Amino acid sequence: MTYVDKTKTTRAVARETAAPRPQPRTKKRQTSSRKPWPLATQQLAAQLVDALPRLRVYKGQARHIGAVCGLLARIGVDASDWTGEGLKTAVDAYSAAHGIAPAELGKQRSPLAYYAWLLRATLDERPEPNRRRHERAAAETRARLARQAAERAEEQRQRERIAEDADAIAAVIEQMRKDYPSVPPRRRLPVAS
């Protein structure tokens, strides 16, 4: 062993006693633990943005559709019950019933927040979702059409029975004419004035 091997340099001693150095800062790829929104929610958000274009832009920049999906999820809108146009119609009906005039676009700080407020207030009134309303109307239409078809079938059966008995009916009518001949009407004499 040599003298050089036994002695430590100042630099080596400093490294041993120094605080640990931080790890080098490299950008780590961040993975999101969030799952994508359900397709039905995304479609409802897209329909809503199509019906209300002011939800598409915020401070002059395009808004991601995920913001509208988040709004719908927070409020608890079931995408299987509503369509974008149905939500717009329900909010418009609520606004008209309660005398709420829509705020001008320039005066809204956040059109999405404003619409969220209106949507929450509307859904608190418990309006019937438009898809359920359409399903009920379709069921009523199907029942009405089935009822009308049954009535037409009954009328057709009645016509067929009458057609089958047409000869017998004609014979009965002819016999009635023979048995009860019509009496010629009496002539009235002119009244003298």
PDB file of all heavy atoms in Angstrom, residues 187-193:
ATOM      1  N   ARG A 187    -152.395  13.764 -52.997  1.00  0.00           N
ATOM      2  CA  ARG A 187    -152.201  15.067 -53.626  1.00  0.00           C
ATOM      3  C   ARG A 187    -152.993  16.089 -52.832  1.00  0.00           C
ATOM      4  O   ARG A 187    -154.156  15.875 -52.518  1.00  0.00           O
ATOM      5  CB  ARG A 187    -152.718  15.045 -55.054  1.00  0.00           C
ATOM      6  CG  ARG A 187    -151.854  14.195 -55.927  1.00  0.00           C
ATOM      7  CD  ARG A 187    -152.378  14.274 -57.351  1.00  0.00           C
ATOM      8  NE  ARG A 187    -151.310  14.479 -58.249  1.00  0.00           N
ATOM      9  CZ  ARG A 187    -151.114  15.534 -59.005  1.00  0.00           C
ATOM     10  NH1 ARG A 187    -151.957  16.516 -58.992  1.00  0.00           N
ATOM     11  NH2 ARG A 187    -150.121  15.610 -59.792  1.00  0.00           N
ATOM     12  N   ARG A 188    -152.383  17.160 -52.583  1.00  0.00           N
ATOM     13  CA  ARG A 188    -153.081  18.218 -51.863  1.00  0.00           C
ATOM     14  C   ARG A 188    -153.771  19.130 -52.873  1.00  0.00           C
ATOM     15  O   ARG A 188    -153.195  19.448 -53.913  1.00  0.00           O
ATOM     16  CB  ARG A 188    -152.106  19.033 -51.030  1.00  0.00           C
ATOM     17  CG  ARG A 188    -151.539  18.194 -49.901  1.00  0.00           C
ATOM     18  CD  ARG A 188    -150.655  19.067 -49.055  1.00  0.00           C
ATOM     19  NE  ARG A 188    -150.066  18.266 -48.010  1.00  0.00           N
ATOM     20  CZ  ARG A 188    -150.118  18.599 -46.746  1.00  0.00           C
ATOM     21  NH1 ARG A 188    -150.666  19.724 -46.372  1.00  0.00           N
ATOM     22  NH2 ARG A 188    -149.571  17.844 -45.842  1.00  0.00           N
ATOM     23  N   LEU A 189    -154.901  19.479 -52.515  1.00  0.00           N
ATOM     24  CA  LEU A 189    -155.621  20.388 -53.380  1.00  0.00           C
ATOM     25  C   LEU A 189    -155.177  21.820 -53.080  1.00  0.00           C
ATOM     26  O   LEU A 189    -154.900  22.171 -51.936  1.00  0.00           O
ATOM     27  CB  LEU A 189    -157.107  20.266 -53.134  1.00  0.00           C
ATOM     28  CG  LEU A 189    -157.692  18.876 -53.501  1.00  0.00           C
ATOM     29  CD1 LEU A 189    -159.146  18.799 -53.070  1.00  0.00           C
ATOM     30  CD2 LEU A 189    -157.574  18.644 -54.975  1.00  0.00           C
ATOM     31  N   PRO A 190    -155.130  22.609 -54.125  1.00  0.00           N
ATOM     32  CA  PRO A 190    -154.736  23.984 -53.890  1.00  0.00           C
ATOM     33  C   PRO A 190    -155.767  24.712 -53.037  1.00  0.00           C
ATOM     34  O   PRO A 190    -156.960  24.485 -53.163  1.00  0.00           O
ATOM     35  CB  PRO A 190    -154.626  24.611 -55.268  1.00  0.00           C
ATOM     36  CG  PRO A 190    -155.215  23.643 -56.209  1.00  0.00           C
ATOM     37  CD  PRO A 190    -155.355  22.333 -55.512  1.00  0.00           C
ATOM     38  N   VAL A 191    -155.303  25.524 -52.200  1.00  0.00           N
ATOM     39  CA  VAL A 191    -156.182  26.284 -51.314  1.00  0.00           C
ATOM     40  C   VAL A 191    -156.688  27.502 -52.071  1.00  0.00           C
ATOM     41  O   VAL A 191    -155.953  28.218 -52.714  1.00  0.00           O
ATOM     42  CB  VAL A 191    -155.388  26.723 -50.042  1.00  0.00           C
ATOM     43  CG1 VAL A 191    -156.276  27.541 -49.131  1.00  0.00           C
ATOM     44  CG2 VAL A 191    -154.818  25.526 -49.338  1.00  0.00           C
ATOM     45  N   ALA A 192    -158.013  27.703 -51.994  1.00  0.00           N
ATOM     46  CA  ALA A 192    -158.602  28.853 -52.697  1.00  0.00           C
ATOM     47  C   ALA A 192    -158.377  30.086 -51.855  1.00  0.00           C
ATOM     48  O   ALA A 192    -158.594  30.113 -50.660  1.00  0.00           O
ATOM     49  CB  ALA A 192    -160.068  28.624 -52.899  1.00  0.00           C
ATOM     50  N   SER A 193    -158.025  31.118 -52.530  1.00  0.00           N
ATOM     51  CA  SER A 193    -157.836  32.342 -51.779  1.00  0.00           C
ATOM     52  C   SER A 193    -158.878  33.348 -52.079  1.00  0.00           C
ATOM     53  O   SER A 193    -159.600  33.508 -52.907  1.00  0.00           O
ATOM     54  CB  SER A 193    -156.482  32.956 -51.986  1.00  0.00           C
ATOM     55  OG  SER A 193    -155.923  32.837 -53.203  1.00  0.00           O
TER      56      SER A 193
END
